[in-house]
Amino acid sequence: MNFDDFDISDEVKKAIDEMGFEKTTPIQEMAIPLGLKGRDITAQAQTGSGKTIAFAVPVLEKIFIPDRSPQAIVLCPTRELCLQVAGEIAKVGKYIKKLKVLAVYGGQPIGKQTRVLKKGVHIVVGTPGRVIDHIQRGNLDLIGVESVILDEADEMLDMGFRDDIQTILKNTPLQRQTMLFSATMPTEIRKIAKNYQNNPKFIKVANKKENIPKITQHAFRTNHKYKFKDLTKLIEAYDIKSSLIFCNTKKGVDFVFKHLKKEGYSSEALHGDMSQKTRDRVMNKFRNGNVRFLVATDVAARGLDISNLDFIVNYDVAQNYDSHIHRIGRTARAGSSGFALTLVSKEDSANFNVIKRQSKGKIVEKDIPSDSELEEIKINRILDEVKNSIKVDNLKNDMDFIKKSLSADITSEEIAAALLKKLREK
Ligand code: AMP
């Protein structure tokens, strides 16, 4: 389906068109028409499915701009997700004049958020703790709220937000529309749906496992001592321009990040106890392509939407299958393809065996290339580029130069070999 097939305003259509999306994703195809009708929805969908636009469209279509009190509230588990969701809603609402969307989350001074809230906003995207804080301070009145969205509901419950969510829901009018999105549907989530939703329509889109085939997964046995060296070999062998690198501990993150820097690879670290300001700065640097490698723990990377990632590297094997899937889901977003590379040392073996079994043959074990194989890979890569250039570039002038340089004791093969050497040394 196309977005044109929905009965939505020209403003929203134009914005989505500019975002470059023509075809809808399955969750959008199912949720948007129901959402536009005002139905409650319980959707099983993960990050990367396009769920944000699936709820943003019905929410935006309902906003009454002259009323500058909150009409929609989106609850998300993390600050990063709040920023990302608020950003995406603002993009879709770009052509709705005077629309105000605000992200509120812990870690940022509350005063600034309060000032914006007092001026009036239409849509609030927040972490449950901070939203409660604003309600209690009298900064946020949910009396006029028509839509409530629980995004990544299972993550929010995992993080201990159950009571906060219930309190917030109780502060909103009964006749609201409630849309719940969750990657998994444990009993706890079903309970919330039952208690706080009105005859919700249940939607399920291809689950995580079915989404995986686009991701090529390779794993490499290594040992603790050579792990870092092997990481750099993989970076070179796969010609990784940019990647998210996962470690299981903060210590691991610091180690990998520092050593990458030392080896001349631009990199940054992201872990839970960094200040919000630093995290935002680091994220922006990575998103803008100003830094090649972002080394992170699972917690720090939760909910992050970094698109266009071709590679995910597991420096440490994830603790369990769910977290592995979550990690590798950062690549191959919305239809593209990607690589997930996993380093497996003895310490990782137990976790790896479980994950490998549950991945049902999708992880292929390979050997770390030897130094000579790595050399060969690099040479072949250069030669491929050269062959391509011969095919597509106009080389007449360059050939004339070469011809002029040829003499009895220099052959064209020698010139090519010397150039190759120079390129390899670069
Ligand atoms: P989400 O599941 O909302 O986190 O979205 C995942 C990513 O897919 C985001 O970067 C969206 O901008 C992108 N996206 C959303 N809808 C579409 C679509 N219809 N076609 C292609 N990409 C999309």
Side-chain angles (χ1 to χ4, degrees), residues 68-99:
R68 287 176 67 137
S69 65
Q71 295 161 47
I73 178 147
V74 184
L75 298 177
C76 303
T78 63
R79 331 174 240 221
E80 275 80 12
L81 193 61
C82 282
L83 285 167
Q84 180 188 305
V85 167
E88 187 115 339
I89 296 176
K91 265 197 212 161
V92 181
K94 185 177 160 191
Y95 292 107
I96 303 178
K97 278 201 189 95
K98 299 196 173 151
L99 173 75

Side-chain angles (χ1 to χ4, degrees), residues 3 21 23 25 28 46-53 88 305 334:
F3 284 95
F21 307 148
K23 298 244 170 312
T25 65
Q28 291 160 354
Q46 76 213 61
T47 314
S49 56
K51 63 188 164 67
T52 315
I53 291 182
E88 187 115 339
D305 176 36

Side-chain angles (χ1 to χ4, degrees), residues 57-68:
V57 170
V59 163
L60 287 168
E61 292 293 332
K62 268 209 282 193
I63 299 291
F64 180 59
I65 292 294
D67 174 7
R68 287 176 67 137

Side-chain angles (χ1 to χ4, degrees), residues 4-37:
D4 278 340
D5 299 329
F6 298 128
D7 186 15
I8 51 180
S9 62
D10 290 341
E11 285 90 345
V12 168
K13 265 188 208 156
K14 185 172 171 201
I16 294 179
D17 192 43
E18 276 183 17
M19 288 164 87
F21 307 148
E22 241 175 70
K23 298 244 170 312
T24 53
T25 65
I27 185 77
Q28 291 160 354
E29 188 169 332
M30 288 188 267
I32 292 176
L34 287 164
L36 288 172
K37 277 192 209 140

Side-chain angles (χ1 to χ4, degrees), residues 26-27 30 42-45 183 185 201-207 210:
I27 185 77
M30 288 188 267
T42 304
Q44 186 163 358
M185 280 293 152
K201 174 88 186 150
F202 185 79
I203 302 176
K204 187 177 174 184
V205 291
N207 66 25
E210 290 156 45

